[in-house]
Amino acid sequence: MEVDGSAVDIGQLKNGDIDESLYSRQLYVLGHEAMKRMGSSHVLIAGMRGLGVEIAKNIALAGVKSLTLYDPEPAAISDLSSQFFLHPEDVGKPRAAVTAPRVAELNAYTPISVHPSKSLAENLDDLRKYQVVVLTGCSLKDQLTISDFGHANGIFIVIADIYGLFGSIFTDFGKQFAIADPTGENPVGGIVADIDAEGLVSALDETRHGLEDGDFVTFSEIQGMTALNDSEPRKVTVKGPYTFSIGDVSGLGAYERGGLYTQVKMPKVIDFQPFREQLQKPEILMSDFAKFDRPQQLHIGFQALHAFKDKHGHLPRPHNDTDATQVLDLTKGLAGEGEDKVEVGEKLIRELSYQAQGDLSPMAAFFGGLAAQEVLKSVSGKFHPIVQWLYFDSLESLPSSIKRSEELCKPTGSRYDGQIAVFGTEFQEKLGNVNQFLVGAGAIGCEMLKNWALIGLAAGPKGKINVADMDQIEKSNLNRQFLFRPKDVGKLKADCAAEAVQAMNPELKGKIVTLRDRVGPETEHIFNEDFWESLDGVTNALDNVDARQYVDRRCVFFRKPLLDSGTLGTKGNAQVVLPRLTESYSSSQDPPEQSFPQCTLRSFPNKIEHTIAWAKEKFHQYFVGPPETVNLYISQSNYIEQTLKQSGNEIPTLESIRDFLVTKKPSNFDDCIAWARQQFEAEYNNAIQQLLYNFPKDSTTSSGAPFWSGPKRAPDPLKFDANNPAHLNFIKATANLHAFNYGIEGGDQVQRPHYLEVMENMMIPEFAPSSGVKIQANDNEPDPNAQNGKSSFDDNDELEKLVSSLPPAKSLGGLKLQPVEFEKDDDTNHHIDFITAASNLRAQNYAIAEADRHKTKFIAGKIIPAIATTTALVTGLVVLELFKVIDGKDDIEQYKNGFVNLALPFFGFSEPIASPKGKYLSKEGEVSIDRLWDRFEVEDMTLREFIDHFSGKGLEVMMLSSGVSLLYASFYPPKKLKDRMGLKLSELVETISKKAIPEHQKNVIFEMTVEDQTEEDVEVPYVMLKLRK
């Protein structure tokens, strides 16, 4: 059965390129080569319950040559616990047949079909057309038969299963499996400071080299030891953070100076063992080091479940002790003898039996993301596979606030039966009556809502889900935000996501409220105290640190549990924030974003990141800053007197206004071409000539060392060449963006011959460097061109001349320029075209390796690489923590913060860090406080009453402030305090700040400095004044 007969390969358009507008974020994870290999692969997935459909969804989004589904079994109502593409009306129909058309909607470039066989194991030759076979929900007998055939015939095998809160995955990619890039990390590189006679390489200026033992590097531009340049990669032994050895360098000459080292990714080859052998002697990757002895027990426990099903025709009944005893006996029989004997924990195996019929959406999400990534690794050679088993459980998610029994866990004939089998009906009811706030409806938001719909979150009579997202759907979202379809592009994410999950679970109809506002300080009248107080919990699905920190601060203030998560390519994390238990998201800070010294960008770039940052600055200097300044000049009558007088940068600003309004104002597109050609000459020829005039190539420093050495690369001017694509691309992009500033149309219709004709008719004057131009030699020196606080208004003659050259604003007849707003994802707007061309021309000046448009867009647009597999897995982890939060667990040891890197693969789980505690000495003795979650709450009282109130607690108030207003200080003279002491706190805030308290605000925050009974300053929580409104 062929569902999508599209002849289009994975994102392959007519010219053979990948559809970057769809796959852009994934391309930054996998790269073009890996995706092209995926594009020639045929994949079969067997089993279309929750786990199988999750794998299918992720692979379809990623894109392969073809995806085939197999599951002839009839759908059951309990499948709806985790199978998001099944509806109640599908019960009784073959799972694969009804699922395939819905998977096909995810990606037009991935054709979907249904494998026609009645039994995979009986028609093994039919499997030869697939590169990968994924087995879910298969019997152990079939797993053995199919995996034996796959291993013998070069077919990659992935086997995954989940039983309630337990799951496993197995991989077999055959003999001599080559991994092209085991980590996915960008190759590191740097500048060489020295190479001694023993082969010890030192990095310049004690810069960390970032290499590890066993890495390989190549060298270029080395003087002296020239045989190293472009030679075979040399293996590295790390000697320290700034030094590494490359072994024997005898006979290569003596190192003189210069040179670059670059890491080279070397392929790694692995021999996988067949499933049959691994079943007896498993090689297991640890998922949680706190459960070191558990994988071996689960390895035989899962086999016991297969044996039980073979004997009885079904898995053990939920919470049935008789069945659990049989499973325990079977497990003990498989435990082995002697040194190899596995110690079996009765409690663990009984729990495995109790949950065997369980089918949980977050477990399907975790293993579905994991298994899909393993499939992509097998066909692309990108990233290191799991070798060869991984077991994972989340037994901590079991509720402790309610009972579980065979009666409470038995099937009820509902869509939640797969979940009830694990948690029971009481907890299912608890899930249904939750009021949850989801901030963000992008990739993580879509996955979160899917999980919530499947687990029945807020589906009860008191349940409610609030979803806030102000963004509209773009084409690049479709690759990983799976609730959206091409027809949704341009619509609001929150609305479309809510509509999609209500179709997924009709019991959510009327339970989801979509909010189309940004959650931030400016919307606190919408997301007000009443809103926050009504919530049971908050989940962040944001890719913006500032927004995540704001939501985190609100959760701390209102004491609401927060679940935060994020992804970066194959990396992902999940964090639990619990009132009065844990630290918050904002308690730890990410390292600051990398920035480059201005001197490096202006004159001494040595890598492509420098030239791209320079090109972004030029984008602003050409197309954003001057039009904005011109508009201010036109719209503000006293602009010159008021604004310029404060800036200290008057002359350049006035010159810019004059150029844009008078001397260089274009009247047609030809003028824009001419202006672009002038900018080329100024930046890539004249400025470089001037730099070399100031610092000739043979110049030396005060110590006698060559000036152009180490990080300083000597540039060469460029002579314009219309046959050089980067040269003409710069002219085209610059002319079109300049025309946009003035509202001049028609640039997109202009062809190459016309550009050449306009430029041939131009006179480009010869440039003569000036001895009056000063250039900063390094960042340690003062900038010779800095104003140093001196206003250009001191140069009255020049200033008056400039001002008189400007047309009066009133004479411009309502003229308004259009500043360019940078948008990286519109391939027709010339923004990335300009930055790519401008950056690469500067790279040509300095002999730096150029970057293609794709890489430039990634760096300039600060794009966060993303792939559906990581998003699905991380969201599964978050929902496993949500179960604990809703259960009301107050033992911090039961919670898990998680960090994963699917590329390595690596899994790290840790107990959340406890919130910081403190204490002070009151009149009654020592008082313990939570420095993050505690606060003092007071009614509206006078300042005198406030000071006396805290004095009664043994705290003497030394200073009191609200925001930037200092309301009280013990050192204030009595006269100043006299008028304040009798004012109520609310009146005092309004009086000192000269601002009324907003009507929607129900509290005011105060910070105070106090001394306790030791007469020492102590750190105490803030004070919240409650306003009665």
Side-chain angles (χ1 to χ4, degrees), residues 881-900:
E881 297 306 306
L882 177 65
F883 288 143
K884 304 173 189 177
V885 172
I886 292 172
D887 184 43
K889 294 183 192 301
D890 57 8
D891 178 4
I892 197 171
E893 294 182 4
Q894 296 298 303
Y895 291 91
K896 298 270 188 182
N897 286 346
F899 175 79
V900 301

Side-chain angles (χ1 to χ4, degrees), residues 218-232 259-260:
T218 56
F219 294 89
S220 59
E221 301 182 20
I222 287 176
Q223 295 180 36
M225 205 178 275
T226 54
L228 272 180
N229 291 330
D230 304 318
S231 64
E232 287 297 307
L260 305 173

Side-chain angles (χ1 to χ4, degrees), residues 983-998:
L983 290 177
K984 290 211 164 184
L985 293 173
S986 58
E987 296 169 341
L988 183 61
V989 169
E990 292 183 329
T991 302
I992 303 302
S993 69
K994 297 184 172 60
K995 290 179 187 172
I997 297 169

Side-chain angles (χ1 to χ4, degrees), residues 2 302 566 985:
E2 183 81 14
F302 276 37
L985 293 173

Side-chain angles (χ1 to χ4, degrees), residues 69-90:
L69 312 181
Y70 173 79
D71 192 338
E73 295 300 312
I77 189 68
S78 59
D79 294 341
L80 274 62
S81 291
S82 62
Q83 221 284 24
F84 46 82
F85 280 152
L86 287 180
H87 305 146
E89 59 270 23
D90 298 324

Side-chain angles (χ1 to χ4, degrees), residues 647-662:
S647 72
N649 199 28
E650 298 87 352
I651 287 178
T653 305
L654 288 174
E655 286 175 341
S656 175
I657 295 172
R658 179 201 62 198
D659 290 348
F660 269 67
L661 283 179
V662 185

Side-chain angles (χ1 to χ4, degrees), residues 61-294:
L61 290 171
V64 290
K65 177 90 170 178
S66 75
L67 178 60
T68 305
L69 312 181
Y70 173 79
D71 192 338
E73 295 300 312
I77 189 68
S78 59
D79 294 341
L80 274 62
S81 291
S82 62
Q83 221 284 24
F84 46 82
F85 280 152
L86 287 180
H87 305 146
E89 59 270 23
D90 298 324
V91 172
K93 299 174 185 173
R95 288 194 195 104
V98 292
T99 302
R102 292 153 197 172
V103 176
E105 292 176 5
L106 294 170
N107 189 349
Y109 294 126
T110 303
I112 310 295
S113 59
V114 175
H115 189 82
S117 173
K118 287 274 167 59
S119 168
L120 288 183
E122 290 177 12
N123 299 282
L124 293 174
D125 280 339
D126 290 348
L127 303 181
R128 293 183 187 276
K129 58 187 173 187
Y130 304 113
Q131 276 72 49
V132 195
V133 173
V134 183
L135 304 178
T136 72
C138 284
S139 69
L140 183 58
K141 180 184 173 186
D142 284 356
Q143 289 175 0
L144 285 163
T145 303
I146 293 166
S147 61
D148 283 348
F149 181 82
H151 191 83
N153 290 278
I155 300 167
F156 303 143
I157 300 293
V158 176
I159 301 172
D161 283 303
I162 54 173
Y163 302 103
L165 289 165
F166 300 89
S168 73
I169 183 170
F170 167 83
T171 63
D172 173 10
F173 300 160
K175 296 276 187 190
Q176 296 286 294
F177 178 77
I179 309 164
D181 180 0
T183 67
E185 299 297 326
N186 290 325
V188 298
I191 301 169
V192 176
D194 182 53
I195 306 176
D196 69 12
E198 305 300 318
L200 185 72
V201 182
S202 301
L204 185 75
D205 292 338
E206 292 205 337
T207 306
R208 289 180 178 273
H209 51 66
L211 295 164
E212 297 178 1
D213 281 342
D215 285 344
F216 285 78
V217 294
T218 56
F219 294 89
S220 59
E221 301 182 20
I222 287 176
Q223 295 180 36
M225 205 178 275
T226 54
L228 272 180
N229 291 330
D230 304 318
S231 64
E232 287 297 307
R234 305 283 295 231
K235 192 172 185 178
V236 165
T237 304
V238 173
K239 297 298 184 182
Y242 316 109
T243 55
F244 58 91
S245 172
I246 55 170
D248 183 15
V249 292
S250 58
L252 298 180
Y255 174 81
E256 292 175 10
R257 66 187 180 98
L260 305 173
Y261 65 87
T262 306
Q263 182 189 8
V264 178
K265 293 292 185 84
M266 303 295 280
K268 179 179 179 181
V269 176
I270 298 177
D271 278 336
F272 283 83
Q273 291 182 327
F275 178 71
R276 191 176 293 274
E277 288 179 27
Q278 277 283 305
L279 204 59
Q280 303 306 315
K281 288 192 174 180
E283 187 172 353
I284 298 175
L285 174 71
M286 288 300 298
S287 64
D288 187 344
F289 288 93
K291 302 173 179 178
F292 199 77
D293 61 339
R294 203 166 281 183

